[in-house]
């Protein structure tokens, strides 16, 4: 499903509780251990990419979110690919691209999957810091209503609609019917992308060893 990337961030969800998913498979690393971790993490990014665009690196949705992970202007500003203009949430990329990693236009971004993957890896770490800053990381591996919150599910939800929406979902004990502009429920992202390894998130408790 196409998503709605927030950046400068969770503000996007606060503004309309609205808008928003490979890592380049594990790049060569010095140790086989880190390669194994990266490979498992790549499964998460592949799942997120599938939810966002069915893995289409050249996807552009009707709200002008772009690429396999459906990044928006605000997120790309946060990530240093786009300069800020008067409205970072209108997705017109009016401030222009900065040239980071050789990307100088929307077309460049769409034509460079490896840059999208690199941006996604950075973005996920950035979003986890947002989750921590909002005091939500303590809810990882807990039940909210009928849903188990996992780090990957929490990141997927934040990618879809921001930390504000995730916070509302938690406060409502999972009862809040929060959806993106296309009607995608936040809870679907939390459950469809739950249980994947997130190397920088809280470790999986033993009782959840078989989850996903």
């Amino acid at each position: 499903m196409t998503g709605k990337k927030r950046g400068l961030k969770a503000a996007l969800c606060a503004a309309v509780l609205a808008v928003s998913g490979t890592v380049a498979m594990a790049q060569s690393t010095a140790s086989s251990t880190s390669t194994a971790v990266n490979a498992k993490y790549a499964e998460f990014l592949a799942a997120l990419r599938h939810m966002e665009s069915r893995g289409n690196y050249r996807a552009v949705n009707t709200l002008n979110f772009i690429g396999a992970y459906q990044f928006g202007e605000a997120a790309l500003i946060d990530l240093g690919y786009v300069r800020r203009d008067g409205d970072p949430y209108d997705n017109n990329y009016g401030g222009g691209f900065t040239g980071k990693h050789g990307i100088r236009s929307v077309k460049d971004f769409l034509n460079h999957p490896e840059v999208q993957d690199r941006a996604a890896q950075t973005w996920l770490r950035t979003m986890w810091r947002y989750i921590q800053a909002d005091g939500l990381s303590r809810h990882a591996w807990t039940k909210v209503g009928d849903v188990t919150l996992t780090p990957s599910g929490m990141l997927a939800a934040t990618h879809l609609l921001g930390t504000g929406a995730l916070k509302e979902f938690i406060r409502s004990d999972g009862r809040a019917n929060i959806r993106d502009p296309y009607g995608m429920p936040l809870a679907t992202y939390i459950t469809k992308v739950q249980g994947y390894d997130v190397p920088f998130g809280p470790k999986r408790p033993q009782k959840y060893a078989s989850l996903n």
Side-chain angles (χ1 to χ4, degrees):
M1 284 317 289
T2 48
K4 0 285 125 200
K5 251 37 30 308
R6 17 290 122 210
L8 293 169
K9 178 22 328 78
L12 184 48
C13 93
V16 328
L17 214 66
V19 280
S20 161
T22 91
V23 194
M25 284 278 140
Q27 295 180 333
S28 291
T29 55
S31 76
S32 60
T33 299
S34 64
T35 299
V37 169
N38 287 344
K40 289 184 177 182
Y41 185 41
E43 293 177 5
F44 164 44
L45 284 133
L48 181 60
R49 191 170 66 250
H50 180 78
M51 290 292 291
E52 289 291 311
S53 68
R54 296 296 186 263
N56 181 1
Y57 284 93
R58 304 189 71 174
V60 179
N61 76 4
T62 59
L63 296 173
N64 218 25
F65 290 95
I66 62 176
Y69 303 92
Q70 292 291 276
F71 282 110
E73 181 180 352
L76 292 177
I77 291 170
D78 274 0
L79 290 167
Y81 290 96
V82 173
R83 299 182 187 90
R84 182 164 187 162
D85 61 8
D87 184 353
Y89 303 114
D90 63 5
N91 285 351
N92 71 359
Y93 309 95
F97 283 72
T98 64
K100 182 177 179 178
H101 298 148
I103 303 303
R104 302 188 180 280
S105 66
V106 169
K107 182 177 179 180
D108 280 349
F109 191 74
L110 296 175
N111 287 336
H112 286 82
E114 75 285 357
V115 174
Q116 295 183 40
D117 291 336
R118 189 171 181 175
Q121 293 178 70
T122 301
W123 182 234
L124 287 167
R125 287 184 177 274
T126 299
M127 288 194 297
W128 190 256
R129 289 196 292 271
Y130 293 148
I131 288 169
Q132 291 175 314
D134 278 0
L136 302 177
S137 57
R138 63 189 175 90
H139 295 285
W141 302 111
T142 65
K143 294 278 283 188
V144 174
D146 295 329
V147 175
T148 298
L149 288 180
T150 68
S152 61
M154 294 170 74
L155 283 165
T158 299
H159 187 54
L160 183 71
L161 286 172
T163 55
L166 179 60
K167 183 181 293 186
E168 181 180 342
F169 183 82
I170 292 170
R171 285 178 172 172
S172 73
D173 197 30
R175 290 188 292 270
N177 184 20
I178 304 168
R179 297 172 180 260
D180 78 0
Y182 296 97
M184 170 62 71
L186 188 78
T188 297
Y189 262 56
I190 293 173
T191 56
K192 290 284 190 181
V193 195
Q194 72 176 359
Y196 289 94
D197 284 354
V198 175
F200 47 84
K203 291 185 178 180
R204 175 193 307 254
Q206 185 59 38
K207 69 178 180 177
Y208 293 116
S210 63
L211 186 63
N212 215 38

